[in-house]
Amino acid sequence: MPTSFTVVPVEAQGEERQPAERDGQRQEEEEEGEEEDDERDRGSGDGVARESSPFINSAEMDRGNIYEGKNMALFEEEMDSNPMVSSLLNKLANYTNLTQGVVEHEADEDSKRKEVKVPRMGTFIGVYLPCLQNILGVILFLRLTWIVGTAGVLESFIIVFMCCACTMLTAISMSAIATNGVVPAGGSYYMISRSLGPEFGGAVGLCFYLGTTFAGAMYILGTIEILLTYISPSAAIFKAEEVGEETEAMLNNMRVYGTCIIILMAIVVFVGVKYVNKLALVFLACVILSIIAIYAGVIKTAFDPPDFPICLLGNRTLSKRSFDVCAKFTESNNETKTTALWRLFCDSSFLNATCDDYFSLNNVTEIQGIPGIMSGVLADNLWSAYSEKGSIVEKKDQPSVAGSEDTKMGGLPYVFTDIMTYFTMLVGIYFPSVTGIMAGSNRSGDLKDAQKSIPTGTILAISTTSFIYLSCIVLFGACIEGVILRDKFGEAVDGNLVVGTLAWPSPWVIVIGSFFSTCGAGLQSLTGAPRLLQAIARDGIVPFLQVFGHGKANGEPTWALLLTAGICEIGILIASLDSVAPILSMFFLMCYMFVNLACAVQTLLRTPNWRPRFKYYHWTLSFLGMSLCLALMFICSWYYALIAMLIAGCIYKYIEYRGAEKEWGDGIRGLSLNAARYALLRVEDGPPHTKNWRPQLLVLLNLDSEQLVKHPRLLSFTSQLKAGKGLTIVGSVLQGIYLDKCTEAQKAEENIKALMGVEKTKGFCQIVVSPHFRDGISYLIQSAGLGGMKHNTVLMAWPQSWKQTENRFSWKNFVDTVRETTAAQQALLVAKNIDLFPTNQERFTEGNIDVWWIVHDGGMLMLLPFLLRQHKVWRKCKMRIFTVAQMDDNSIQMKKDLQMFLYHLRLNAEVEVVEMFENDISAFTYEKTLMMEQRSQMLKQMQLSKNEREREAQLIHDRNTASHSAPAVKASVAAAVPEKVQMTWTKEKFVAEKHKNKDSNVSGFKDIFNMKPNQSNVRRMHTAVKLNGVVLNKSQHAQLVLLNMPGPPKNRKGDENYMEFLEVLTEGLDRVLLVRGSGREVITIYS
């Protein structure tokens, strides 16, 4: 039951003040609070910028009115970005869907003085009549009778029914899309682009544009055909000088007249479109009167058929253009005289002349061309009569005696077929006569209620025109003789328009009406196509079309009009109506196919915004319509269909790669999300098989103070390793609180994405803001990715400055990252000297990728060089695998086994086994270990200033480098005397420090000089030094060295020593990739 309610205004305190007083105070508040307003403009109280409302321009809102009452003080912070419901409803109530068409010169001058009127066009005027005018046209008057005669009533009925069903299903889908929200003026292009995305929208929009342009050419060709064939044949410029040249002469006339008419029409459109629009009703009246005349003629044939006699020679139809009397000779005054027909077939006018064999053997008969609806001629016209090009139009069941085959037919007055006919070709020629269903949606900006008018008007118009076409097929077959129907240009009826012979009161009603209707349709095509191109250009999705978005000061698309006229001229140069019709059929069918696809996709996705007011649709109907469109494309012409699809595909890929990024909430994005969700759920079932394993990378980047990437070569290496395959997540950590750092995080993300675009790294970017850098890295390792699409490998750069005291946490963070990747069962790749790695533009013409396989970690070391060599940078590098043999190993057998293993892995690589026997630990190793431990102990005990600590770290580093370059002296551990080892600490420096720091640390310094190195550290350092020497010997000049990365010590106190071991292990090498496996097999010998 209806509910009655009353809105009671609630007055706030201070509301009783006078308006002037309030205004004055408000003005003062606004002047004093400009800074606060600016802050509110930038965002709400939490510092986060709000998305602008799609309905209301908040800049135009009067803040004073909003804050006037204090009842909503709790929501003050949201008022700037989120309007009050009352304000929103007020704006929506005043919303007007104004036409986005061109403003004429006169209207432009008066626009400042005139108030814009709300469009008030209803269903009948705004949708029904425009659709009717666009659907009914040139094919109905010039080709439908010929199609009925050639294909027969039954097959013609099938052709028309298929085409009409296609447009009806498309109209249902279009109605659903058009009623799903407000559709601005833009018609089918707007609907498809907003439903299927900019790529499909641009491709189909341009196809629709080309279709409309070629439709203009077809209408112009129809106009010229009516003019030169039926109105004024004497106006032809080119005449046929010899027999058989009539067709070529006609095509040349079409080209000359067509070019002139295009120029004339383009000038008319350029000068004033409003004249075209005003004449639209006149053109429509011509069409309707012509159709009424046809139906009136049909009714008249029932009781008084018109007199249009046809002359037959045997069963062959004769053209009456060359003679007037249908007889071989006439009797007058008891004297027999030969006729003009005799002289055409015989070599003289005498009765004893030599005549054509067929002429001599057969009689001349005359039958009625329009026997009438009650004559029963329908039975004769039910079946098809396809023929070859140049064959004679013959009457079935007419007695005939065959003559000599040698007789030349060229100069004889028969009615010949001008093209070869078959079912699929007729479909292509007929289909343009059902196009034009978008006329209503194109005018959506002018309608009072577009969501009601578009479905009703379009479906009614299609129903009406389908009835007209289907009834005309039956009526033409029931009223007109078959030979007349197959006579395309009406040569057997004195050059009359065939459909005109049926009309009442005169054939001229149809001739004049069809002439003006085709003229008007051509003008409207030249008016609509440039605006469609302008709309596509202004959307900015196709960069090279930008120039066509501009025009005259009043918005007239001048450049688009010139391009349209140029493309239209191509259709005119083809010159044949029957050749142009299938071309535009392709483009329209493709457009209709994607309208159906858009509706089907939106319905199946069930997106929340898909709520059409038109309820009589279903995805099966859309899918059926789409299938029918595709089938009709290939039925019409398979090669034209492939060309049209190729054009659309090229435009699609161009927009995808070069076009502007647009987010229109389209269905393809939704389809991608659904497909991604489905795939993710499938991947979630379990870990990938070893055969499918590939490194899914989490790349950890470091940023500088400007949020720029410190090591861009890391992304270059990523793209070389991945080659666009698999998952790549590029992550980075900002230290701080997210509320304070959100702007910097956005800036960092933009910088990283820009660099990813430059380096052609395909993947995702993830920025984490954390109070502690180490925690942020841990969050990324744990939570990056989604479901089964998670990373399995972490790639990071070696911390070059880990020894510098200002980065005293960098090595701790690094070692913790190594531990966390191991705990997460993820592989780890550490690129050392990353700035020396090649860019994507470099090419190595020679060199080696050396793999040092010390321990088996699942085969990562084998797989990575194979993946790298897929990229152009590393393609010409050779792969070498080195493995280390201990004392008890058989190095020869090891090499054979490794070669066999690589053979089964299908990897091409050189194999070498390096023997590294146990030997005594050198004095250099002992000394290096001692200095490492002394440095670590000193940094813990000494309270040095920042500068002193930096100098100390540098001195120790220099000493290490110098001692490594000196020749090592072999000695046993027992012979090594720590007291005699030269230190970087001189006695003078020690005394100075001793005097500076007179405290309890003095005893600690004595311990430092008396300490002995840890035996475990000595053994580790020995391994690092020995292995480094072997690697340098074999791989110093390699383009890349891959090494097993040893794990960190279980005791965290030795973390700094672990960094030193890795530094020694890789010393002297240019490019090193330390690899630590995840513990699972990643490469297999099985298929």
Side-chain angles (χ1 to χ4, degrees):
M1 58 180 291
T3 305
S4 301
F5 60 91
T6 308
V7 180
V8 181
V10 181
E11 294 187 359
Q13 293 179 3
E15 195 68 14
E16 294 82 5
R17 290 181 297 179
Q18 293 298 323
E21 182 184 345
R22 283 202 307 269
D23 291 343
Q25 185 172 348
R26 188 186 306 132
Q27 186 175 358
E28 290 174 11
E29 288 173 357
E30 287 178 357
E31 289 173 358
E32 292 171 1
E34 277 187 77
E35 293 181 4
E36 287 83 357
D37 287 347
D38 290 342
E39 286 296 323
R40 282 196 296 267
D41 286 343
R42 285 193 289 271
S44 57
D46 56 2
V48 182
R50 302 286 190 191
E51 185 181 355
S52 60
S53 170
F55 300 107
I56 296 174
N57 186 357
S58 58
E60 296 175 0
M61 294 175 67
D62 189 355
R63 287 201 188 90
N65 291 332
I66 293 173
Y67 295 128
E68 201 169 89
K70 300 301 179 187
N71 294 315
M72 294 295 166
L74 181 61
F75 296 96
E76 278 181 0
E77 296 294 336
E78 281 84 9
M79 289 298 184
D80 285 324
S81 54
N82 300 335
M84 292 283 289
V85 175
S86 57
S87 305
L88 175 66
L89 295 176
N90 184 41
K91 290 281 183 181
L92 284 175
N94 294 329
Y95 174 78
T96 55
N97 187 7
L98 297 179
T99 313
Q100 294 179 353
V102 71
V103 182
E104 290 304 317
H105 293 291
E106 295 83 353
D108 192 35
E109 291 170 2
D110 299 338
S111 59
K112 295 179 181 178
R113 298 189 297 270
K114 289 183 180 178
E115 185 180 349
V116 178
K117 294 181 181 178
V118 178
R120 293 293 178 187
M121 291 173 71
T123 304
F124 187 74
I125 298 291
V127 180
Y128 181 75
L129 290 181
C131 283
L132 214 62
Q133 183 184 1
N134 278 265
I135 296 171
L136 300 171
V138 63
I139 300 293
L140 171 65
F141 301 118
L142 295 183
R143 293 289 182 270
L144 192 59
T145 52
W146 174 70
I147 290 171
V148 173
T150 306
V153 172
L154 292 179
E155 289 187 24
S156 299
F157 199 90
I158 292 170
I159 291 172
V160 173
F161 182 79
M162 276 199 311
C163 296
C164 291
C166 175
T167 53
M168 179 61 80
L169 291 171
T170 304
I172 291 171
S173 300
M174 185 193 71
S175 299
I177 298 172
T179 57
N180 186 49
V182 178
V183 179
S188 58
Y189 163 68
Y190 182 91
M191 288 190 292
I192 294 169
S193 61
R194 269 55 177 182
S195 296
L196 289 179
E199 296 89 359
F200 277 110
V204 181
L206 285 174
C207 283
F208 191 56
Y209 163 73
L210 291 172
T212 309
T213 306
F214 275 104
M218 185 189 73
Y219 292 132
I220 291 168
L221 290 173
T223 304
I224 302 161
E225 186 176 309
I226 294 168
L227 176 68
L228 296 181
T229 309
Y230 306 113
I231 296 178
S232 178
S234 59
I237 298 171
F238 297 92
K239 307 284 185 181
E241 296 178 359
E242 294 181 13
V243 177
E245 292 186 354
E246 294 85 355
T247 304
E248 189 60 36
M250 184 65 178
L251 293 180
N252 288 330
N253 286 321
M254 290 274 198
R255 292 181 182 114
V256 173
Y257 275 96
T259 305
C260 296
I261 289 179
I262 277 189
I263 294 169
L264 188 65
M265 284 187 173
I267 292 170
V268 170
V269 172
F270 179 78
V271 170
V273 182
K274 68 175 183 179
Y275 302 115
V276 179
N277 294 332
K278 285 178 180 177
L279 289 172
L281 280 175
V282 176
F283 299 141
L284 178 61
C286 292
V287 175
I288 293 171
L289 285 173
S290 300
I291 292 169
I292 291 171
I294 292 170
Y295 281 108
V298 169
I299 295 168
K300 184 175 178 292
T301 62
F303 53 87
D304 183 17
D307 183 31
F308 279 101
I310 307 166
C311 193
L312 298 176
L313 175 63
N315 65 349
R316 297 178 178 178
T317 312
L318 297 176
S319 172
K320 290 185 109 176
R321 291 180 186 269
S322 307
F323 64 93
D324 50 358
V325 178
C326 182
K328 292 183 178 180
F329 38 78
T330 58
E331 296 279 347
S332 64
N333 300 324
N334 294 324
E335 186 181 352
T336 304
K337 291 183 179 180
T338 56
T339 61
L341 180 62
W342 177 280
R343 289 188 290 275
L344 290 171
F345 283 92
C346 302
D347 56 3
S348 72
S349 61
F350 300 107
L351 290 172
N352 60 353
T354 304
C355 297
D356 178 71
D357 282 352
Y358 189 84
F359 181 76
S360 303
L361 295 171
N362 291 276
N363 294 324
V364 176
T365 55
E366 197 170 47
I367 62 171
Q368 277 298 325
I370 314 290
I373 197 168
M374 307 300 289
S375 64
V377 76
L378 178 64
D380 298 331
N381 293 331
L382 279 177
W383 311 108
S384 61
Y386 300 118
S387 58
E388 296 290 327
K389 181 179 180 181
S391 58
I392 301 171
V393 176
E394 299 177 344
K395 178 172 170 53
K396 303 172 189 175
D397 305 326
Q398 185 78 8
S400 171
V401 179
S404 173
E405 297 292 333
D406 300 331
T407 308
K408 292 184 178 179
M409 303 287 186
L412 302 179
Y414 293 124
V415 177
F416 295 99
T417 55
D418 62 335
I419 55 173
M420 185 174 70
T421 53
Y422 44 92
F423 178 81
T424 57
M425 186 208 67
L426 296 181
V427 176
I429 291 175
Y430 173 75
F431 188 81
S433 65
V434 296
T435 60
I437 62 171
M438 300 288 186
S441 62
N442 288 345
R443 293 168 178 258
S444 56
D446 299 324
L447 301 173
K448 182 165 61 176
D449 186 0
Q451 296 191 2
K452 179 183 175 184
S453 298
I454 289 175
T456 310
T458 306
I459 292 172
L460 275 177
I462 293 173
S463 303
T464 305
T465 52
S466 299
F467 171 77
I468 291 171
Y469 282 128
L470 292 170
S471 62
C472 280
I473 285 171
V474 177
L475 294 175
F476 291 162
C479 295
I480 306 175
E481 184 60 54
V483 288
I484 297 293
L485 289 173
R486 291 193 294 280
D487 182 7
K488 187 188 285 186
F489 301 109
E491 294 177 29
V493 284
D494 300 323
N496 280 304
L497 183 61
V498 174
V499 71
T501 60
L502 184 63
W504 180 85
S506 167
W508 285 101
V509 175
I510 301 290
V511 173
I512 301 301
S514 59
F515 177 79
F516 281 113
S517 71
T518 49
C519 251
L523 273 173
Q524 288 193 326
S525 294
L526 282 179
T527 305
R531 278 155 187 75
L532 179 60
L533 182 63
Q534 188 181 42
I536 297 169
R538 284 182 172 174
D539 259 347
I541 58 174
V542 186
F544 70 83
L545 290 180
Q546 295 280 358
V547 65
F548 299 109
H550 308 296
K552 291 194 292 187
N554 61 349
E556 185 74 30
T558 311
W559 295 110
L561 178 61
L562 288 173
L563 180 67
T564 304
I567 296 172
C568 207
E569 177 65 18
I570 296 172
I572 296 297
L573 293 176
I574 294 172
S576 170
L577 182 71
D578 301 321
S579 301
V580 173
I583 296 175
L584 64 103
S585 294
M586 289 304 115
F587 291 124
F588 277 119
L589 277 167
M590 185 167 288
C591 179
Y592 296 165
M593 182 176 72
F594 280 104
V595 169
N596 285 301
L597 176 64
C599 183
V601 166
Q602 296 279 28
T603 308
L604 288 172
L605 287 178
R606 296 174 183 169
T607 49
N609 192 51
W610 180 246
R611 302 185 299 276
R613 289 192 178 279
F614 180 77
K615 299 298 181 186
Y616 306 103
Y617 70 94
H618 195 266
W619 69 268
T620 52
L621 293 176
S622 301
F623 190 77
L624 181 63
M626 184 179 70
S627 306
L628 193 54
C629 288
L630 189 62
L632 283 172
M633 284 177 70
F634 283 92
I635 286 172
C636 294
S637 171
W638 64 269
Y639 47 90
Y640 277 162
L642 290 177
I643 292 170
M645 293 172 101
L646 181 67
I647 292 171
C650 291
I651 297 167
Y652 178 94
K653 295 307 289 183
Y654 177 80
I655 296 171
E656 186 180 38
Y657 285 113
R658 297 290 306 277
E661 289 291 331
K662 299 283 183 184
E663 179 52 63
W664 288 330
D666 50 85
I668 294 298
R669 298 292 189 275
L671 192 64
S672 302
L673 286 172
N674 264 23
R677 171 184 164 275
Y678 175 77
L680 282 171
L681 290 173
R682 289 290 302 274
V683 172
E684 186 75 9
D685 291 345
H689 191 273
T690 304
K691 290 186 289 186
N692 297 327
W693 195 95
R694 66 167 59 246
Q696 316 287 9
L697 290 182
L698 169 63
V699 186
L700 298 178
L701 294 179
N702 289 326
L703 304 176
D704 58 18
S705 58
E706 298 295 324
Q707 313 309 330
L708 297 173
V709 178
K710 283 185 179 178
H711 304 294
R713 296 286 179 93
L714 202 59
L715 284 180
S716 305
F717 184 68
T718 302
S719 60
Q720 293 159 23
L721 184 61
K722 299 292 289 180
K725 305 292 190 298
L727 174 72
T728 303
I729 302 172
V730 181
S732 188
V733 178
L734 294 182
Q735 196 165 347
I737 306 298
Y738 182 68
L739 283 177
D740 301 333
K741 296 279 187 177
C742 59
T743 307
E744 293 179 29
Q746 289 175 0
K747 182 182 177 183
E749 187 172 356
E750 289 171 4
N751 291 341
I752 291 175
K753 283 183 176 177
L755 185 60
M756 287 172 71
V758 171
E759 299 293 344
K760 297 180 180 177
T761 306
K762 295 181 179 179
F764 308 98
C765 178
Q766 189 168 352
I767 303 294
V768 170
V769 181
S770 172
H772 303 289
F773 187 83
R774 178 181 170 279
D775 292 341
I777 296 289
S778 179
Y779 298 156
L780 277 174
I781 291 172
Q782 292 177 64
S783 61
L786 180 64
M789 283 294 283
K790 291 181 70 70
H791 61 279
N792 55 27
T793 307
V794 177
L795 172 62
M796 61 190 300
W798 172 263
Q800 297 286 357
S801 57
W802 68 272
K803 289 187 178 183
Q804 295 179 10
T805 50
E806 73 219 19
N807 293 323
R808 66 183 185 278
F809 293 114
S810 67
W811 59 269
K812 289 186 177 180
N813 293 333
F814 176 80
V815 178
D816 285 336
T817 302
V818 176
R819 286 197 174 98
E820 282 172 357
T821 53
T822 306
Q825 295 183 330
Q826 295 172 4
L828 177 65
L829 308 178
V830 179
K832 194 164 185 283
N833 300 325
I834 185 62
D835 294 328
L836 298 179
F837 276 59
T839 63
N840 289 329
Q841 286 71 40
E842 293 181 43
R843 301 286 183 270
F844 288 135
T845 54
E846 58 181 0
N848 300 311
I849 300 177
D850 287 355
V851 177
W852 284 85
W853 193 18
I854 312 298
V855 293
H856 181 61
D857 58 353
M860 278 280 287
L861 283 167
M862 310 290 179
L863 187 61
L864 291 175
F866 170 76
L867 294 174
L868 279 173
R869 290 180 67 229
Q870 307 300 310
H871 197 273
K872 294 177 181 178
V873 173
W874 306 92
R875 188 163 292 163
K876 294 186 178 179
C877 292
K878 294 179 181 178
M879 180 176 168
R880 297 193 302 181
I881 296 181
F882 298 91
T883 189
V884 177
Q886 301 294 327
M887 182 72 75
D888 300 331
D889 295 329
N890 183 343
S891 59
I892 298 173
Q893 188 61 39
M894 278 182 70
K895 184 171 182 177
K896 287 181 180 178
D897 292 342
L898 183 54
Q899 286 173 336
M900 183 58 66
F901 181 58
L902 291 175
Y903 174 78
H904 287 307
L905 288 175
R906 291 91 64 202
L907 294 175
N908 295 321
E910 295 179 18
V911 175
E912 189 170 340
V913 178
V914 178
E915 296 179 347
M916 196 169 80
F917 301 120
E918 290 286 341
N919 56 4
D920 294 334
I921 297 173
S922 64
F924 166 73
T925 302
Y926 191 84
E927 179 184 356
K928 199 167 185 69
T929 309
L930 181 62
M931 285 189 295
M932 175 185 74
E933 294 185 358
Q934 284 177 341
R935 176 186 180 279
S936 178
Q937 192 69 20
M938 279 189 292
L939 290 177
K940 288 176 184 175
Q941 292 189 6
M942 291 181 353
Q943 302 297 322
L944 296 176
S945 65
K946 182 179 177 182
N947 294 335
E948 191 65 25
R949 194 174 294 192
E950 285 178 0
R951 285 198 300 272
E952 180 58 27
Q954 189 61 42
L955 283 169
I956 293 175
H957 178 69
D958 294 345
R959 173 60 179 154
N960 290 350
T961 306
S963 62
H964 184 58
S965 60
V969 180
K970 290 187 177 181
S972 66
V973 178
V977 182
E979 289 79 9
K980 293 183 179 180
V981 174
Q982 287 197 353
M983 300 288 296
T984 56
W985 281 80
T986 60
K987 185 176 181 182
E988 293 79 7
K989 187 171 183 181
F990 176 70
V991 172
E993 285 294 332
K994 184 177 177 182
H995 286 297
K996 189 191 294 183
N997 302 296
K998 294 179 180 179
D999 52 15
S1000 61
N1001 287 335
V1002 175
S1003 61
F1005 290 131
K1006 289 179 181 178
D1007 293 338
I1008 291 172
F1009 287 103
N1010 294 326
M1011 68 185 293
K1012 291 185 178 182
N1014 183 286
Q1015 292 302 312
S1016 174
N1017 287 341
V1018 171
R1019 287 197 306 274
R1020 290 170 186 268
M1021 183 65 77
H1022 174 68
T1023 304
V1025 170
K1026 286 289 292 179
L1027 194 55
N1028 176 253
V1030 173
V1031 173
L1032 277 177
N1033 184 36
K1034 297 286 185 181
S1035 304
Q1036 188 165 14
H1037 301 295
Q1039 302 292 5
L1040 180 65
V1041 177
L1042 284 83
L1043 270 169
N1044 279 118
M1045 183 179 180
K1050 294 180 180 179
N1051 183 6
R1052 290 176 177 268
K1053 292 182 180 179
D1055 286 355
E1056 193 172 5
N1057 299 337
Y1058 171 70
M1059 297 294 290
E1060 189 71 49
F1061 295 144
L1062 293 181
E1063 192 76 67
V1064 170
L1065 181 63
T1066 58
E1067 198 167 7
L1069 297 171
D1070 288 339
R1071 303 182 194 91
V1072 183
L1073 188 66
L1074 295 170
V1075 180
R1076 184 163 173 76
S1078 61
R1080 64 160 293 171
E1081 292 294 328
V1082 300
I1083 195 167
T1084 178
I1085 63 173
Y1086 299 106
S1087 61

